[in-house]
Amino acid sequence: MFRLDGRVALVTGGSRGIGRAICETLAKAGAEVYVNYAKGEAAAREVCEAIRAAGGKAEPIGFDVADSKATDEAIARISKEKGRFDVLVSNAGISIDQLLLRFKDDDLDKMLAVNLKGAIASARAAIRPMMRARWGRIVFISSVVGEMGNAGQVGYAATKAALLGVTKSVAKEYASRSVTVNAITPGFIETDMTASLPAEVREQMLKATPLGRIGSPADVAAATLYLCSEEAGFVTGHVLRVNGGLYL
């Protein structure tokens, strides 16, 4: 079950954290994975080397999702080279945390460019080869913050909440072509971003999570694999919460 043999996948923001775990999981399931990075080329190559060492297929591909032209060109190149493009996991994202009264327009613009505009641009480019093939999987990595909000994360919450509307709209537009579009809203996951949080904040998040532990990138990757598989062919427009019960 949950095999992706012969499929070609792109994971944006795939060089570390949740993105890396998704790349490794999809490759282990048989997909040929393109590991996207904007700046971390060395990290992306390391991910690819690890995947190849484990018997999988992976290639690094550098472009900034905030640049829609570069995104279009990269996905078109993958599609042309491989003769197909099956799976997009839109994971690239940034967070600039600040209370509303201190929140700057530039900060909002940066997050909108990557988290929302970048996700839409990636999906728009990916949908073309998927329509031709009459098969495709798009998974947007949103956040529990987009569902429940969080103090000091107005901009991040706004962009991640918007992704849920994008998910449902695109799902309705392309269901007739057997393209499914879903979102995952991770909760408190152990990544570089959360590792830098103050100890008291981490403790508060842990106490608020009914399952009593911090999630791992592998938890999110497993959910992503399911949504990318044949077995999830009747699931579209869905928001899958991987949050340990933090938000129900």
Side-chain angles (χ1 to χ4, degrees):
M1 294 179 67
F2 310 147
R3 296 295 304 173
L4 296 175
D5 299 290
R7 301 295 186 189
V8 173
L10 168 67
V11 180
T12 66
S15 64
R16 61 191 179 94
I18 290 173
R20 175 171 183 156
I22 292 172
C23 288
E24 292 174 341
T25 298
L26 298 189
K28 187 176 181 180
E32 182 171 357
V33 180
Y34 281 81
V35 180
N36 162 254
Y37 64 91
K39 297 179 180 179
E41 181 178 359
R45 291 191 178 280
E46 181 185 343
V47 175
C48 292
E49 290 170 4
I51 288 173
R52 293 178 195 134
K57 297 180 179 180
E59 294 291 339
I61 184 165
F63 65 90
D64 185 348
V65 297
D67 183 338
S68 58
K69 182 179 179 182
T71 301
D72 284 345
E73 291 174 349
I75 291 177
R77 184 166 71 252
I78 294 171
S79 179
K80 183 177 180 180
E81 289 177 357
K82 298 300 176 181
R84 63 191 304 157
F85 188 98
D86 305 291
V87 174
L88 168 68
V89 180
S90 180
N91 169 72
I94 60 172
S95 178
I96 304 173
D97 299 342
Q98 192 57 268
L99 294 172
L100 177 61
L101 288 177
R102 299 174 181 174
F103 192 50
K104 299 177 182 178
D105 288 348
D106 285 348
D107 294 336
L108 178 59
D109 289 343
K110 289 174 184 176
M111 280 190 283
L112 286 169
V114 176
N115 299 0
L116 185 56
K117 180 184 173 184
I120 291 173
S122 299
R124 184 176 59 210
I127 207 72
R128 297 187 182 99
M130 291 178 181
M131 286 178 63
R132 290 195 294 268
R134 301 190 71 85
W135 196 98
R137 299 286 187 266
I138 297 175
V139 179
F140 293 108
I141 306 300
S142 178
S143 171
V144 67
V145 174
E147 295 187 285
M148 71 179 197
N150 196 37
Q153 291 192 301
V154 173
Y156 186 71
T159 59
K160 291 299 187 177
L163 276 182
L164 306 185
V166 172
T167 297
K168 295 174 185 295
S169 297
V170 180
K172 288 185 176 182
E173 288 184 10
Y174 297 100
S176 64
R177 298 299 182 98
S178 296
V179 177
T180 67
V181 186
N182 296 287
I184 293 176
T185 51
F188 190 38
I189 306 297
E190 191 67 80
T191 63
D192 292 344
M193 186 183 298
T194 58
S196 64
L197 292 173
E200 61 271 20
V201 174
R202 290 171 60 87
E203 185 63 25
Q204 288 172 4
M205 295 297 290
L206 186 58
K207 288 181 178 179
T209 303
L211 281 181
R213 70 173 176 87
I214 298 174
S216 72
D219 292 321
V220 182
T224 304
L225 174 59
Y226 165 67
L227 292 176
C228 293
S229 70
E230 288 283 358
E231 287 81 358
F234 203 56
V235 179
T236 196
H238 181 66
V239 179
L240 179 54
R241 293 170 176 164
V242 183
N243 65 28
L246 178 62
Y247 179 79
L248 300 173

Coordinates of all heavy atoms in Angstrom, one line a residue, residues 164-226:
L164 N -6.0 27.1 3.0 CA -7.1 26.2 3.1 C -8.2 26.5 2.1 O -8.8 25.6 1.5 CB -7.7 26.2 4.5 CG -6.6 25.9 5.6 CD1 -7.3 25.8 7.0 CD2 -5.8 24.6 5.3
G165 N -8.4 27.8 1.9 CA -9.3 28.2 0.8 C -8.9 27.9 -0.6 O -9.6 27.4 -1.4
V166 N -7.5 28.0 -0.8 CA -6.9 27.6 -2.0 C -7.1 26.1 -2.3 O -7.5 25.7 -3.4 CB -5.4 28.0 -2.1 CG1 -4.8 27.4 -3.3 CG2 -5.2 29.5 -2.0
T167 N -6.9 25.3 -1.3 CA -7.0 23.9 -1.4 C -8.4 23.5 -1.9 O -8.6 22.7 -2.8 CB -6.8 23.2 0.0 OG1 -5.4 23.5 0.4 CG2 -7.0 21.7 -0.1
K168 N -9.5 24.0 -1.2 CA -10.8 23.7 -1.5 C -11.2 24.1 -2.9 O -11.9 23.5 -3.7 CB -11.8 24.2 -0.5 CG -11.5 23.6 0.9 CD -12.4 24.2 2.0 CE -12.1 23.7 3.3 NZ -12.4 22.2 3.5
S169 N -10.8 25.3 -3.3 CA -11.1 25.9 -4.6 C -10.4 25.1 -5.8 O -11.1 24.7 -6.7 CB -10.7 27.3 -4.7 OG -11.4 28.1 -3.8
V170 N -9.1 24.8 -5.6 CA -8.4 24.1 -6.7 C -9.0 22.6 -6.7 O -9.1 22.0 -7.8 CB -6.9 24.1 -6.4 CG1 -6.2 23.3 -7.5 CG2 -6.4 25.5 -6.4
A171 N -9.3 22.1 -5.6 CA -9.9 20.7 -5.6 C -11.1 20.7 -6.4 O -11.4 19.7 -7.2 CB -10.2 20.3 -4.2
K172 N -12.0 21.7 -6.3 CA -13.2 21.7 -7.1 C -13.0 21.9 -8.6 O -13.7 21.3 -9.4 CB -14.2 22.8 -6.5 CG -14.8 22.4 -5.2 CD -15.8 23.5 -4.7 CE -16.4 23.1 -3.4 NZ -17.5 24.1 -3.0
E173 N -12.0 22.7 -8.9 CA -11.7 23.0 -10.3 C -11.2 21.8 -11.1 O -11.5 21.7 -12.2 CB -10.7 24.1 -10.4 CG -11.2 25.5 -9.9 CD -10.2 26.6 -10.1 OE1 -9.1 26.4 -10.8 OE2 -10.4 27.7 -9.7
Y174 N -10.4 20.9 -10.4 CA -9.7 19.9 -11.2 C -10.1 18.5 -10.8 O -9.4 17.5 -11.3 CB -8.2 20.1 -11.2 CG -7.9 21.5 -11.8 CD1 -7.6 22.6 -11.0 CD2 -7.9 21.6 -13.2 CE1 -7.4 23.8 -11.6 CE2 -7.6 22.8 -13.8 CZ -7.4 23.9 -13.0 OH -7.1 25.2 -13.6
A175 N -11.1 18.3 -10.0 CA -11.5 16.9 -9.7 C -11.9 16.1 -10.9 O -11.7 14.9 -10.9 CB -12.7 17.0 -8.7
S176 N -12.5 16.8 -11.9 CA -12.9 16.0 -13.1 C -11.8 15.5 -13.9 O -11.9 14.6 -14.7 CB -13.8 17.0 -14.0 OG -12.9 18.0 -14.5
R177 N -10.5 15.9 -13.6 CA -9.3 15.4 -14.3 C -8.6 14.4 -13.4 O -7.4 14.1 -13.7 CB -8.4 16.6 -14.7 CG -9.0 17.6 -15.7 CD -9.4 16.9 -17.0 NE -10.0 17.8 -17.9 CZ -9.3 18.4 -18.9 NH1 -8.0 18.1 -19.1 NH2 -9.9 19.2 -19.8
S178 N -9.2 14.0 -12.3 CA -8.6 13.0 -11.4 C -7.4 13.6 -10.7 O -6.4 12.9 -10.4 CB -8.3 11.7 -12.1 OG -9.4 11.1 -12.6
V179 N -7.4 14.9 -10.5 CA -6.3 15.6 -9.7 C -6.9 15.9 -8.3 O -7.9 16.6 -8.2 CB -5.9 16.9 -10.4 CG1 -4.8 17.6 -9.5 CG2 -5.3 16.6 -11.8
T180 N -6.3 15.3 -7.3 CA -6.8 15.6 -5.9 C -5.9 16.7 -5.3 O -4.7 16.7 -5.6 CB -6.8 14.3 -5.1 OG1 -5.4 13.9 -4.8 CG2 -7.5 13.2 -5.7
V181 N -6.6 17.5 -4.5 CA -5.9 18.6 -3.9 C -6.3 18.6 -2.4 O -7.5 18.8 -2.1 CB -6.3 19.9 -4.5 CG1 -5.4 21.1 -4.0 CG2 -6.1 19.9 -6.0
N182 N -5.3 18.5 -1.5 CA -5.6 18.4 -0.1 C -4.5 19.3 0.7 O -3.5 19.7 0.1 CB -5.5 17.0 0.4 CG -6.6 16.1 -0.2 OD1 -7.8 16.2 0.1 ND2 -6.2 15.3 -1.2
A183 N -4.8 19.5 1.9 CA -3.9 20.2 2.8 C -3.7 19.5 4.1 O -4.5 18.7 4.5 CB -4.5 21.6 3.1
I184 N -2.5 19.7 4.7 CA -2.2 19.2 6.0 C -1.9 20.3 6.9 O -1.2 21.3 6.5 CB -0.9 18.2 5.9 CG1 -1.3 17.0 5.1 CG2 -0.5 17.8 7.3 CD1 -0.1 16.0 4.9
T185 N -2.4 20.3 8.1 CA -2.1 21.3 9.1 C -1.4 20.7 10.3 O -2.0 20.2 11.2 CB -3.5 22.0 9.6 OG1 -4.4 20.9 10.0 CG2 -4.1 22.8 8.5
P186 N 0.0 20.7 10.2 CA 0.8 20.2 11.3 C 0.6 21.1 12.6 O 0.4 22.3 12.5 CB 2.2 20.4 10.8 CG 2.1 20.5 9.3 CD 0.8 21.2 9.1
G187 N 0.7 20.4 13.7 CA 0.7 21.1 15.0 C 2.1 21.4 15.4 O 2.9 21.9 14.6
F188 N 2.4 21.2 16.7 CA 3.7 21.5 17.2 C 4.7 20.4 16.8 O 4.7 19.3 17.4 CB 3.6 21.6 18.7 CG 4.9 22.1 19.4 CD1 5.6 23.1 18.8 CD2 5.3 21.7 20.6 CE1 6.8 23.6 19.4 CE2 6.4 22.1 21.2 CZ 7.2 23.2 20.6
I189 N 5.5 20.6 15.8 CA 6.4 19.6 15.2 C 7.9 20.0 15.6 O 8.3 21.2 15.5 CB 6.3 19.6 13.7 CG1 4.8 19.3 13.3 CG2 7.2 18.5 13.1 CD1 4.2 18.0 13.8
E190 N 8.7 19.0 15.9 CA 10.1 19.2 16.2 C 10.9 19.6 14.9 O 11.2 18.7 14.1 CB 10.7 18.0 16.9 CG 12.0 18.2 17.5 CD 12.0 19.1 18.7 OE1 11.7 18.7 19.8 OE2 12.4 20.3 18.5
T191 N 11.2 20.8 14.7 CA 12.0 21.3 13.6 C 12.9 22.4 14.1 O 12.9 22.8 15.3 CB 11.0 22.0 12.5 OG1 10.4 23.1 13.1 CG2 10.0 21.0 12.0
D192 N 13.8 22.9 13.2 CA 14.7 24.0 13.5 C 13.9 25.2 14.1 O 14.4 25.9 15.0 CB 15.5 24.4 12.3 CG 16.5 23.3 11.9 OD1 16.8 22.4 12.7 OD2 17.0 23.4 10.8
M193 N 12.8 25.4 13.5 CA 12.0 26.6 13.8 C 11.4 26.5 15.3 O 11.6 27.4 16.1 CB 10.8 26.8 12.9 CG 10.0 28.0 13.1 SD 8.5 28.1 12.0 CE 9.4 28.1 10.4
T194 N 10.9 25.3 15.6 CA 10.3 25.2 17.0 C 11.4 25.0 18.0 O 11.3 25.3 19.2 CB 9.4 24.0 17.0 OG1 10.0 22.8 16.6 CG2 8.2 24.2 16.1
A195 N 12.6 24.4 17.6 CA 13.7 24.2 18.5 C 14.2 25.5 19.1 O 14.8 25.5 20.2 CB 14.8 23.5 17.8
S196 N 14.0 26.6 18.4 CA 14.5 27.9 18.8 C 13.6 28.6 19.8 O 13.9 29.7 20.3 CB 14.8 28.8 17.6 OG 13.6 29.1 16.9
L197 N 12.4 28.0 20.0 CA 11.4 28.7 20.9 C 11.9 28.6 22.4 O 12.6 27.6 22.8 CB 10.1 28.0 20.8 CG 9.3 28.1 19.5 CD1 8.1 27.2 19.5 CD2 8.9 29.5 19.2
P198 N 11.5 29.6 23.2 CA 11.9 29.5 24.6 C 11.3 28.3 25.3 O 10.3 27.8 24.9 CB 11.2 30.8 25.1 CG 11.1 31.7 24.0 CD 10.8 30.8 22.8
A199 N 12.0 27.8 26.3 CA 11.6 26.6 27.0 C 10.2 26.7 27.5 O 9.4 25.7 27.4 CB 12.6 26.3 28.1
E200 N 9.8 27.8 28.0 CA 8.4 28.0 28.6 C 7.4 27.9 27.5 O 6.3 27.3 27.7 CB 8.3 29.3 29.3 CG 8.5 30.5 28.6 CD 9.9 31.0 28.5 OE1 10.8 30.2 28.8 OE2 10.2 32.2 28.3
V201 N 7.7 28.4 26.3 CA 6.7 28.3 25.2 C 6.6 26.8 24.7 O 5.5 26.3 24.5 CB 7.2 29.2 24.0 CG1 6.2 28.9 22.8 CG2 7.2 30.6 24.4
R202 N 7.7 26.1 24.6 CA 7.6 24.7 24.3 C 6.8 23.9 25.3 O 6.1 23.0 24.9 CB 9.1 24.2 24.2 CG 9.8 24.7 23.0 CD 11.3 24.3 23.0 NE 11.5 22.8 23.0 CZ 11.5 22.1 22.0 NH1 11.4 22.6 20.8 NH2 11.7 20.8 22.0
E203 N 7.0 24.2 26.5 CA 6.3 23.5 27.6 C 4.8 23.8 27.5 O 4.0 22.9 27.7 CB 6.8 23.9 29.0 CG 6.2 23.1 30.1 CD 6.6 21.7 30.1 OE1 7.6 21.3 29.5 OE2 5.8 20.9 30.7
Q204 N 4.4 25.0 27.2 CA 3.0 25.3 27.1 C 2.4 24.6 25.9 O 1.3 24.1 26.0 CB 2.9 26.8 26.9 CG 3.1 27.7 28.1 CD 3.2 29.2 27.8 OE1 2.9 29.6 26.6 NE2 3.5 30.0 28.8
M205 N 3.1 24.5 24.8 CA 2.6 23.8 23.6 C 2.4 22.3 23.9 O 1.5 21.7 23.5 CB 3.5 24.0 22.4 CG 3.6 25.5 21.9 SD 2.0 26.1 21.3 CE 1.8 25.2 19.8
L206 N 3.4 21.8 24.6 CA 3.3 20.4 24.9 C 2.1 20.1 25.8 O 1.4 19.1 25.6 CB 4.6 20.0 25.6 CG 4.8 18.5 25.9 CD1 4.7 17.6 24.7 CD2 6.2 18.2 26.6
K207 N 1.9 20.9 26.8 CA 0.8 20.7 27.7 C -0.6 20.9 27.0 O -1.5 20.2 27.4 CB 0.8 21.7 28.9 CG 1.9 21.5 29.9 CD 1.9 22.5 31.0 CE 3.0 22.2 32.1 NZ 3.0 23.2 33.2
A208 N -0.6 21.7 26.0 CA -1.8 21.9 25.2 C -2.1 20.8 24.2 O -3.2 20.7 23.6 CB -1.8 23.2 24.5
T209 N -1.1 19.9 24.0 CA -1.3 18.8 23.0 C -1.8 17.5 23.8 O -1.0 16.9 24.5 CB 0.0 18.5 22.3 OG1 0.5 19.7 21.7 CG2 -0.1 17.4 21.3
P210 N -3.0 17.1 23.6 CA -3.5 15.9 24.3 C -2.7 14.6 24.2 O -2.7 13.9 25.2 CB -4.9 15.7 23.7 CG -5.3 17.1 23.3 CD -4.1 17.7 22.8
L211 N -2.1 14.4 23.1 CA -1.3 13.2 23.0 C 0.0 13.3 23.8 O 0.7 12.3 23.9 CB -1.0 12.9 21.5 CG -2.1 12.2 20.7 CD1 -1.7 12.0 19.3 CD2 -2.6 10.9 21.3
G212 N 0.3 14.4 24.3 CA 1.4 14.5 25.3 C 2.8 14.4 24.7 O 3.8 14.1 25.4
R213 N 3.0 14.7 23.4 CA 4.3 14.7 22.9 C 4.4 15.7 21.7 O 3.4 16.1 21.2 CB 4.7 13.3 22.3 CG 4.0 12.9 21.1 CD 4.6 11.6 20.6 NE 3.9 11.0 19.4 CZ 4.1 11.3 18.2 NH1 5.1 12.2 17.9 NH2 3.5 10.7 17.2
I214 N 5.6 16.1 21.4 CA 5.9 16.9 20.2 C 5.8 16.0 19.0 O 6.4 14.9 19.0 CB 7.2 17.6 20.3 CG1 7.2 18.6 21.6 CG2 7.5 18.4 19.1 CD1 8.5 19.2 21.9
G215 N 5.2 16.5 17.9 CA 5.2 15.7 16.7 C 6.6 15.7 16.0 O 7.4 16.5 16.3
S216 N 6.7 14.7 15.1 CA 8.0 14.7 14.4 C 7.7 14.9 12.9 O 6.6 14.8 12.4 CB 8.6 13.3 14.5 OG 7.8 12.3 13.8
P217 N 8.7 15.4 12.1 CA 8.5 15.5 10.7 C 8.0 14.2 10.0 O 7.3 14.3 9.1 CB 9.9 15.9 10.2 CG 10.5 16.6 11.4 CD 10.1 15.9 12.6
A218 N 8.4 13.1 10.6 CA 8.0 11.8 10.0 C 6.4 11.7 10.1 O 5.8 11.0 9.3 CB 8.7 10.7 10.7
D219 N 5.8 12.2 11.2 CA 4.4 12.2 11.3 C 3.7 12.9 10.2 O 2.7 12.4 9.6 CB 4.0 12.8 12.6 CG 4.4 12.0 13.9 OD1 4.3 10.8 13.8 OD2 4.8 12.7 14.9
V220 N 4.2 14.0 9.8 CA 3.7 14.8 8.7 C 4.0 14.1 7.4 O 3.1 14.1 6.5 CB 4.2 16.2 8.7 CG1 3.6 17.1 7.6 CG2 4.0 16.9 10.0
A221 N 5.1 13.6 7.2 CA 5.5 12.9 6.0 C 4.6 11.7 5.7 O 4.2 11.4 4.6 CB 7.0 12.5 6.0
A222 N 4.3 10.9 6.8 CA 3.4 9.8 6.6 C 2.0 10.2 6.1 O 1.5 9.5 5.2 CB 3.3 9.0 7.9
A223 N 1.5 11.2 6.6 CA 0.2 11.7 6.2 C 0.3 12.2 4.7 O -0.7 12.0 4.0 CB -0.3 12.9 7.1
T224 N 1.4 12.8 4.4 CA 1.6 13.3 3.0 C 1.6 12.2 2.1 O 1.0 12.2 1.0 CB 2.9 14.1 2.9 OG1 2.9 15.2 3.9 CG2 3.0 14.7 1.5
L225 N 2.3 11.1 2.4 CA 2.4 9.9 1.5 C 1.0 9.4 1.3 O 0.7 9.0 0.1 CB 3.3 8.9 2.2 CG 3.4 7.5 1.4 CD1 3.9 7.7 0.0 CD2 4.2 6.5 2.2
Y226 N 0.2 9.3 2.3 CA -1.1 8.8 2.1 C -1.9 9.6 1.1 O -2.5 9.1 0.1 CB -1.9 8.7 3.4 CG -3.4 8.6 3.2 CD1 -3.9 7.4 2.7 CD2 -4.3 9.6 3.5 CE1 -5.3 7.3 2.5 CE2 -5.6 9.5 3.3 CZ -6.1 8.3 2.8 OH -7.5 8.2 2.5

